[in-house]
Amino acid sequence: MSKPILAIIGSGWGGFTLAQKVSLAKYSIVVISPIRTIQYTPLLASAACGLFNFRLAEEPVRRKRRHEVQYYKATAETIDFDKRVIRCKAAAWIEGEGGGGSGEKPHESSNTFEVKYDKVCIAPGCDIQDFGTPGAREHALFLRTTNDARLIQQRVLEMVDAASLPGVSASRQREILSIRIVGGGAVGIEAAAELWDLWFEELRFLCPHLDSDGDGNKLTITIHDVAPQILSTFDSSLSEYAAQSLRGKHVELKTSSHIERVEAGAIVTREDGRLPAGLLIWATGNKASSLVETLRSVKKPEEGLPRILTDRYLRVLRADGRGPIEGAYALGDAADVEGESLPALAEVAMQKSEYLTGVLNAADDEAALVRPFAYKQRALLAYLGRRDGVIGGRQDWTGVSAWVAWRSGSLAWTRSWRRRFMIMISWLFVWFGGRDIARP
């Protein structure tokens, strides 16, 4: 007797956890995602700044001990809930003729295909929100994947190389060494903090000619946010503490800043006009994935970010109000529980996936639904640089203790003891011998 097919759309915090924990004795699991790994997003800024290898900030879906799990490198484009079929577009590429100058083209076996399922979990995550800002996608760097982290590290090193060339004036050096981060949430703040540590604790000693002069620091870090304060999800006292801490490190905060367009090497804001940007990191909010927008038959909130609405058992609700769709679940950033407004955080996705794993692994799925999902708020953490941080939750922490908790939390995000051990070893090497990209 064949096992029912569980199709999982997405390999993020929710989808990956399901793929690794749902019983293979009970289901044949198929994972559909354009990314073959889970991206440990809280670790990406640290990887970009050389605290450990990029590979430690991700984990592959394919595992030897769970080789029965099938993975398709593809994007789910539509779902037919009545026929229980997912239409997919391949995202796998091979070397071949054509494809422009890159010499690449889609795998010729099939560009589109269908996957049949008995149960489906929709967890595609969200897309990058650029608010339609002209030039943002062409000229900004993001921090969503390990490849993004690689690009940021390469850009930092290229900035140093370009500013070190003979004949480059001090004013031009300042333009080249201008780092701008769009987004004052935890991702943007931690990117600024890690870049500050990289420069002011290591790189500037290797490049004294690029250090400060009579006119101040040549390398500058500026955070732009349209909101009136940074870390708006934290308590106002912690937000103010973070602002003071960053200003003490000469990180400039431009709140209520409206970016009108992005150009090569610059941004243009409504308040300040054209500003140089040797490195621009775009770390703003989320945008609904294309899959969520195509699902006309599912319920979505009338206002705000379009997300799939589920009941308290994470079952996808019909748009016509006739209850949940049989065999369809949703979680992660792309979904929310009706009547609530849960944040698009990794912690929410992980708690949902743990709950749904218990439901799917139960001998009787319907019996498992007696206990509805309930989100338990965890502490919010943010790193501020120079062993300083803030933690908001049942007890607010600041300073070194918050930094220690944040570093410990970095290890907790990984799903394997092997990676935790390797990250700790990397930290020890950095502590004693410096980062590989800035060896003393």
Side-chain angles (χ1 to χ4, degrees):
M1 181 177 177
S2 61
K3 294 178 290 185
I5 298 173
L6 171 64
I8 301 173
I9 300 175
S11 58
W13 297 96
F16 179 85
T17 302
L18 281 179
Q20 302 306 313
K21 292 192 174 183
V22 168
S23 172
L24 291 173
K26 188 171 184 180
Y27 294 97
S28 295
I29 299 176
V30 177
V31 179
I32 304 165
S33 174
I35 303 177
R36 68 175 67 87
T37 62
I38 179 179
Q39 304 288 304
Y40 293 134
T41 46
L43 305 181
L44 294 179
S46 297
C49 293
L51 286 180
F52 44 78
N53 188 278
F54 299 104
R55 292 291 296 171
L56 298 180
E58 61 182 359
E59 187 90 14
V61 173
R62 294 187 178 102
R63 308 295 291 273
K64 184 183 296 185
R65 63 181 177 83
R66 289 179 69 85
H67 61 274
E68 300 98 329
V69 174
Q70 296 185 67
Y71 166 70
Y72 299 146
K73 186 175 176 62
T75 301
E77 294 194 314
T78 60
I79 304 175
D80 188 327
F81 292 106
D82 294 327
K83 297 181 179 179
R84 302 200 180 193
V85 171
I86 305 167
R87 186 165 181 80
C88 307
K89 183 176 182 180
W93 297 72
I94 61 170
E95 293 293 331
E97 298 177 357
S102 64
E104 295 181 337
K105 64 178 182 179
H107 198 292
E108 294 182 352
S109 61
S110 177
N111 195 33
T112 61
F113 58 93
E114 293 183 346
V115 174
K116 295 183 178 180
Y117 68 86
D118 295 289
K119 295 180 184 293
V120 62
C121 176
I122 310 169
C126 287
D127 291 339
I128 297 169
Q129 177 60 277
D130 61 5
F131 303 101
T133 306
R137 289 187 178 269
E138 293 80 6
H139 303 296
L141 297 180
F142 305 93
L143 199 52
R144 305 286 287 265
T145 68
T146 52
N147 189 56
D148 293 336
R150 287 189 183 93
L151 293 175
I152 289 173
Q153 185 179 111
Q154 292 169 6
R155 179 65 61 84
V156 171
L157 297 177
E158 288 171 356
M159 289 165 55
V160 172
D161 292 340
S164 300
L165 293 173
V168 179
S169 65
S171 60
R172 179 56 182 155
Q173 286 177 333
R174 286 188 171 81
E175 291 180 355
I176 294 172
L177 297 174
S178 175
I179 297 175
R180 298 189 183 275
I181 299 171
V182 180
V187 174
I189 297 301
E190 290 172 2
E194 294 283 18
L195 287 166
W196 189 94
D197 285 350
L198 173 63
W199 176 260
F200 287 96
E201 293 185 356
E202 300 206 36
L203 276 179
R204 71 188 181 106
F205 297 109
L206 303 180
C207 309
H209 59 290
L210 299 180
D211 201 3
S212 59
D213 55 20
D215 295 325
N217 296 324
K218 290 184 178 179
L219 182 138
T220 58
I221 300 175
T222 306
I223 298 173
H224 294 259
D225 199 303
V226 70
Q229 66 180 29
I230 62 171
L231 294 178
S232 57
T233 56
F234 287 69
D235 183 79
S236 58
S237 61
L238 293 178
S239 174
E240 182 57 32
Y241 176 90
Q244 292 179 0
S245 175
L246 291 168
R247 290 191 184 103
K249 302 178 182 71
H250 304 289
V251 174
E252 186 176 5
L253 304 179
K254 286 186 176 290
T255 53
S256 301
S257 178
H258 299 79
I259 299 176
E260 296 183 331
R261 66 180 184 275
V262 178
E263 302 174 353
I267 64 172
V268 179
T269 69
R270 182 192 307 171
E271 294 77 15
D272 301 301
R274 190 177 189 276
L275 301 170
L279 167 62
L280 176 63
I281 299 177
W282 200 273
T284 55
N286 295 319
K287 176 183 177 182
S289 73
S290 57
L291 174 63
V292 172
E293 293 180 338
T294 64
L295 300 179
R296 307 299 179 190
S297 59
V298 305
K299 194 171 184 179
K300 303 170 189 173
E302 296 181 0
E303 298 180 356
L305 177 69
R307 304 169 79 182
I308 298 171
L309 288 181
T310 71
D311 61 12
R312 297 176 64 195
Y313 304 98
L314 307 187
R315 299 176 298 184
V316 177
L317 295 175
R318 299 178 185 273
D320 58 13
R322 294 189 295 116
I325 299 174
E326 186 178 354
Y329 303 88
L331 46 78
D333 294 351
D336 200 3
V337 177
E338 187 176 35
E340 300 189 30
S341 183
L342 298 178
L345 298 174
E347 183 61 43
V348 178
M350 289 179 63
Q351 289 188 32
K352 283 186 175 182
S353 62
E354 294 286 354
Y355 167 85
L356 189 54
T357 296
V359 170
L360 295 174
N361 285 345
D364 184 348
D365 290 355
E366 295 302 320
L369 293 180
V370 173
R371 177 179 61 87
F373 170 76
Y375 173 59
K376 297 179 181 180
Q377 178 66 51
R378 305 295 188 188
L380 299 174
L381 300 87
Y383 180 50
L384 304 176
R386 195 190 287 167
R387 298 173 181 81
D388 189 11
V390 291
I391 296 180
R394 296 179 181 176
Q395 183 177 3
D396 295 342
W397 292 356
T398 60
V400 176
S401 59
W403 168 74
V404 172
W406 180 79
R407 281 289 189 229
S408 301
S410 297
L411 294 176
W413 285 119
T414 60
R415 300 291 90 190
S416 70
W417 285 104
R418 174 185 176 184
R419 272 170 167 71
R420 293 175 185 175
F421 178 76
M422 293 175 71
I423 287 174
M424 288 189 289
I425 292 296
S426 298
W427 284 345
L428 286 175
F429 275 107
V430 169
W431 181 275
F432 290 108
R435 311 173 197 227
D436 284 340
I437 61 173
R439 295 295 297 275

PDB file of all heavy atoms in Angstrom, residues 45 95 107-108 115 145 168 188 212 232 279 282 297 314 334 338 340 381 405:
ATOM      1  N   ALA A  45      24.606  38.053   8.511  1.00  0.00           N
ATOM      2  CA  ALA A  45      25.452  39.237   8.698  1.00  0.00           C
ATOM      3  C   ALA A  45      26.807  38.843   9.276  1.00  0.00           C
ATOM      4  O   ALA A  45      27.848  39.370   8.868  1.00  0.00           O
ATOM      5  CB  ALA A  45      24.759  40.252   9.605  1.00  0.00           C
ATOM      6  N   GLU A  95      24.879  23.836 -17.611  1.00  0.00           N
ATOM      7  CA  GLU A  95      25.685  24.454 -18.654  1.00  0.00           C
ATOM      8  C   GLU A  95      25.202  23.956 -20.012  1.00  0.00           C
ATOM      9  O   GLU A  95      24.892  22.787 -20.187  1.00  0.00           O
ATOM     10  CB  GLU A  95      27.165  24.095 -18.475  1.00  0.00           C
ATOM     11  CG  GLU A  95      27.796  24.691 -17.241  1.00  0.00           C
ATOM     12  CD  GLU A  95      27.902  26.198 -17.303  1.00  0.00           C
ATOM     13  OE1 GLU A  95      28.007  26.728 -18.423  1.00  0.00           O
ATOM     14  OE2 GLU A  95      27.847  26.843 -16.250  1.00  0.00           O
ATOM     15  N   HIS A 107      17.189  23.331 -17.466  1.00  0.00           N
ATOM     16  CA  HIS A 107      17.327  21.909 -17.752  1.00  0.00           C
ATOM     17  C   HIS A 107      16.302  21.512 -18.815  1.00  0.00           C
ATOM     18  O   HIS A 107      15.111  21.812 -18.695  1.00  0.00           O
ATOM     19  CB  HIS A 107      17.103  21.105 -16.464  1.00  0.00           C
ATOM     20  CG  HIS A 107      17.638  19.716 -16.563  1.00  0.00           C
ATOM     21  ND1 HIS A 107      17.094  18.774 -17.396  1.00  0.00           N
ATOM     22  CD2 HIS A 107      18.675  19.119 -15.932  1.00  0.00           C
ATOM     23  CE1 HIS A 107      17.760  17.647 -17.273  1.00  0.00           C
ATOM     24  NE2 HIS A 107      18.722  17.827 -16.392  1.00  0.00           N
ATOM     25  N   GLU A 108      16.743  20.821 -19.866  1.00  0.00           N
ATOM     26  CA  GLU A 108      15.895  20.560 -21.012  1.00  0.00           C
ATOM     27  C   GLU A 108      14.862  19.467 -20.768  1.00  0.00           C
ATOM     28  O   GLU A 108      13.967  19.274 -21.572  1.00  0.00           O
ATOM     29  CB  GLU A 108      16.756  20.204 -22.229  1.00  0.00           C
ATOM     30  CG  GLU A 108      17.612  21.367 -22.710  1.00  0.00           C
ATOM     31  CD  GLU A 108      18.428  21.010 -23.943  1.00  0.00           C
ATOM     32  OE1 GLU A 108      18.431  19.815 -24.309  1.00  0.00           O
ATOM     33  OE2 GLU A 108      19.041  21.896 -24.528  1.00  0.00           O
ATOM     34  N   VAL A 115       3.039  18.264  -9.719  1.00  0.00           N
ATOM     35  CA  VAL A 115       3.244  17.373  -8.578  1.00  0.00           C
ATOM     36  C   VAL A 115       1.885  17.096  -7.943  1.00  0.00           C
ATOM     37  O   VAL A 115       1.176  18.024  -7.543  1.00  0.00           O
ATOM     38  CB  VAL A 115       4.196  18.003  -7.540  1.00  0.00           C
ATOM     39  CG1 VAL A 115       4.270  17.125  -6.291  1.00  0.00           C
ATOM     40  CG2 VAL A 115       5.585  18.210  -8.122  1.00  0.00           C
ATOM     41  N   THR A 145      20.079  35.430   1.690  1.00  0.00           N
ATOM     42  CA  THR A 145      20.691  34.134   1.409  1.00  0.00           C
ATOM     43  C   THR A 145      22.197  34.203   1.641  1.00  0.00           C
ATOM     44  O   THR A 145      22.775  35.300   1.769  1.00  0.00           O
ATOM     45  CB  THR A 145      20.438  33.704  -0.049  1.00  0.00           C
ATOM     46  OG1 THR A 145      21.153  34.587  -0.935  1.00  0.00           O
ATOM     47  CG2 THR A 145      18.955  33.752  -0.383  1.00  0.00           C
ATOM     48  N   VAL A 168      43.636  58.601  -5.384  1.00  0.00           N
ATOM     49  CA  VAL A 168      42.253  58.774  -4.962  1.00  0.00           C
ATOM     50  C   VAL A 168      42.200  59.806  -3.841  1.00  0.00           C
ATOM     51  O   VAL A 168      42.870  59.655  -2.814  1.00  0.00           O
ATOM     52  CB  VAL A 168      41.642  57.441  -4.477  1.00  0.00           C
ATOM     53  CG1 VAL A 168      40.204  57.641  -4.005  1.00  0.00           C
ATOM     54  CG2 VAL A 168      41.701  56.401  -5.580  1.00  0.00           C
ATOM     55  N   GLY A 188      18.684  45.049   9.609  1.00  0.00           N
ATOM     56  CA  GLY A 188      19.503  46.197   9.247  1.00  0.00           C
ATOM     57  C   GLY A 188      20.436  46.630  10.361  1.00  0.00           C
ATOM     58  O   GLY A 188      21.604  46.958  10.121  1.00  0.00           O
ATOM     59  N   SER A 212      40.516  57.478  10.032  1.00  0.00           N
ATOM     60  CA  SER A 212      40.056  58.853  10.180  1.00  0.00           C
ATOM     61  C   SER A 212      41.191  59.854   9.988  1.00  0.00           C
ATOM     62  O   SER A 212      42.362  59.545  10.170  1.00  0.00           O
ATOM     63  CB  SER A 212      39.437  59.042  11.564  1.00  0.00           C
ATOM     64  OG  SER A 212      40.399  58.748  12.568  1.00  0.00           O
ATOM     65  N   SER A 232      11.421  49.275  15.812  1.00  0.00           N
ATOM     66  CA  SER A 232      10.074  49.650  16.236  1.00  0.00           C
ATOM     67  C   SER A 232       9.325  48.500  16.903  1.00  0.00           C
ATOM     68  O   SER A 232       8.337  48.732  17.611  1.00  0.00           O
ATOM     69  CB  SER A 232       9.275  50.164  15.036  1.00  0.00           C
ATOM     70  OG  SER A 232       9.237  49.202  14.006  1.00  0.00           O
ATOM     71  N   LEU A 279      28.393  51.007  -0.658  1.00  0.00           N
ATOM     72  CA  LEU A 279      27.683  49.749  -0.385  1.00  0.00           C
ATOM     73  C   LEU A 279      26.295  50.108   0.097  1.00  0.00           C
ATOM     74  O   LEU A 279      26.141  50.875   1.060  1.00  0.00           O
ATOM     75  CB  LEU A 279      28.417  48.929   0.675  1.00  0.00           C
ATOM     76  CG  LEU A 279      27.644  47.752   1.288  1.00  0.00           C
ATOM     77  CD1 LEU A 279      27.281  46.722   0.224  1.00  0.00           C
ATOM     78  CD2 LEU A 279      28.445  47.090   2.412  1.00  0.00           C
ATOM     79  N   TRP A 282      19.813  46.620   1.347  1.00  0.00           N
ATOM     80  CA  TRP A 282      18.373  46.836   1.434  1.00  0.00           C
ATOM     81  C   TRP A 282      17.787  45.804   2.389  1.00  0.00           C
ATOM     82  O   TRP A 282      17.742  44.624   2.086  1.00  0.00           O
ATOM     83  CB  TRP A 282      17.751  46.708   0.048  1.00  0.00           C
ATOM     84  CG  TRP A 282      16.407  47.365  -0.077  1.00  0.00           C
ATOM     85  CD1 TRP A 282      15.199  46.812   0.217  1.00  0.00           C
ATOM     86  CD2 TRP A 282      16.134  48.695  -0.536  1.00  0.00           C
ATOM     87  NE1 TRP A 282      14.192  47.704  -0.029  1.00  0.00           N
ATOM     88  CE2 TRP A 282      14.736  48.870  -0.488  1.00  0.00           C
ATOM     89  CE3 TRP A 282      16.930  49.747  -0.986  1.00  0.00           C
ATOM     90  CZ2 TRP A 282      14.116  50.066  -0.879  1.00  0.00           C
ATOM     91  CZ3 TRP A 282      16.315  50.929  -1.367  1.00  0.00           C
ATOM     92  CH2 TRP A 282      14.936  51.086  -1.314  1.00  0.00           C
ATOM     93  N   SER A 297      -8.530  31.255  -4.374  1.00  0.00           N
ATOM     94  CA  SER A 297      -9.534  30.477  -3.643  1.00  0.00           C
ATOM     95  C   SER A 297      -9.304  30.454  -2.135  1.00  0.00           C
ATOM     96  O   SER A 297     -10.092  29.854  -1.401  1.00  0.00           O
ATOM     97  CB  SER A 297      -9.568  29.037  -4.166  1.00  0.00           C
ATOM     98  OG  SER A 297      -8.292  28.427  -4.017  1.00  0.00           O
ATOM     99  N   LEU A 314      -4.056  25.585  11.629  1.00  0.00           N
ATOM    100  CA  LEU A 314      -3.177  25.872  10.488  1.00  0.00           C
ATOM    101  C   LEU A 314      -3.716  25.322   9.170  1.00  0.00           C
ATOM    102  O   LEU A 314      -2.963  25.156   8.213  1.00  0.00           O
ATOM    103  CB  LEU A 314      -1.751  25.329  10.745  1.00  0.00           C
ATOM    104  CG  LEU A 314      -1.097  25.773  12.057  1.00  0.00           C
ATOM    105  CD1 LEU A 314       0.352  25.305  12.101  1.00  0.00           C
ATOM    106  CD2 LEU A 314      -1.181  27.269  12.243  1.00  0.00           C
ATOM    107  N   ALA A 334       4.345  33.493   4.930  1.00  0.00           N
ATOM    108  CA  ALA A 334       3.277  33.616   3.943  1.00  0.00           C
ATOM    109  C   ALA A 334       1.899  33.371   4.536  1.00  0.00           C
ATOM    110  O   ALA A 334       0.899  33.502   3.833  1.00  0.00           O
ATOM    111  CB  ALA A 334       3.517  32.643   2.790  1.00  0.00           C
ATOM    112  N   GLU A 338      -6.254  33.384  11.340  1.00  0.00           N
ATOM    113  CA  GLU A 338      -7.367  34.336  11.283  1.00  0.00           C
ATOM    114  C   GLU A 338      -7.680  34.876  12.673  1.00  0.00           C
ATOM    115  O   GLU A 338      -7.734  34.138  13.653  1.00  0.00           O
ATOM    116  CB  GLU A 338      -8.612  33.664  10.696  1.00  0.00           C
ATOM    117  CG  GLU A 338      -9.743  34.642  10.444  1.00  0.00           C
ATOM    118  CD  GLU A 338     -10.944  33.983   9.782  1.00  0.00           C
ATOM    119  OE1 GLU A 338     -11.213  32.800  10.091  1.00  0.00           O
ATOM    120  OE2 GLU A 338     -11.600  34.645   8.959  1.00  0.00           O
ATOM    121  N   GLU A 340      -5.775  36.886  14.309  1.00  0.00           N
ATOM    122  CA  GLU A 340      -4.528  37.284  14.961  1.00  0.00           C
ATOM    123  C   GLU A 340      -3.660  38.051  13.972  1.00  0.00           C
ATOM    124  O   GLU A 340      -3.993  38.156  12.789  1.00  0.00           O
ATOM    125  CB  GLU A 340      -3.780  36.058  15.494  1.00  0.00           C
ATOM    126  CG  GLU A 340      -4.569  35.255  16.521  1.00  0.00           C
ATOM    127  CD  GLU A 340      -3.722  34.187  17.179  1.00  0.00           C
ATOM    128  OE1 GLU A 340      -2.504  34.398  17.305  1.00  0.00           O
ATOM    129  OE2 GLU A 340      -4.284  33.146  17.563  1.00  0.00           O
ATOM    130  N   LEU A 381      15.801  39.847  20.095  1.00  0.00           N
ATOM    131  CA  LEU A 381      17.210  40.163  20.284  1.00  0.00           C
ATOM    132  C   LEU A 381      17.724  40.992  19.119  1.00  0.00           C
ATOM    133  O   LEU A 381      17.281  40.826  17.980  1.00  0.00           O
ATOM    134  CB  LEU A 381      18.055  38.884  20.398  1.00  0.00           C
ATOM    135  CG  LEU A 381      17.756  37.911  21.524  1.00  0.00           C
ATOM    136  CD1 LEU A 381      16.685  36.921  21.120  1.00  0.00           C
ATOM    137  CD2 LEU A 381      19.020  37.132  21.910  1.00  0.00           C
ATOM    138  N   ALA A 405      23.759  36.641  25.314  1.00  0.00           N
ATOM    139  CA  ALA A 405      22.532  35.919  24.994  1.00  0.00           C
ATOM    140  C   ALA A 405      22.304  35.872  23.484  1.00  0.00           C
ATOM    141  O   ALA A 405      21.835  34.863  22.949  1.00  0.00           O
ATOM    142  CB  ALA A 405      21.342  36.582  25.689  1.00  0.00           C
TER     143      ALA A 405
END
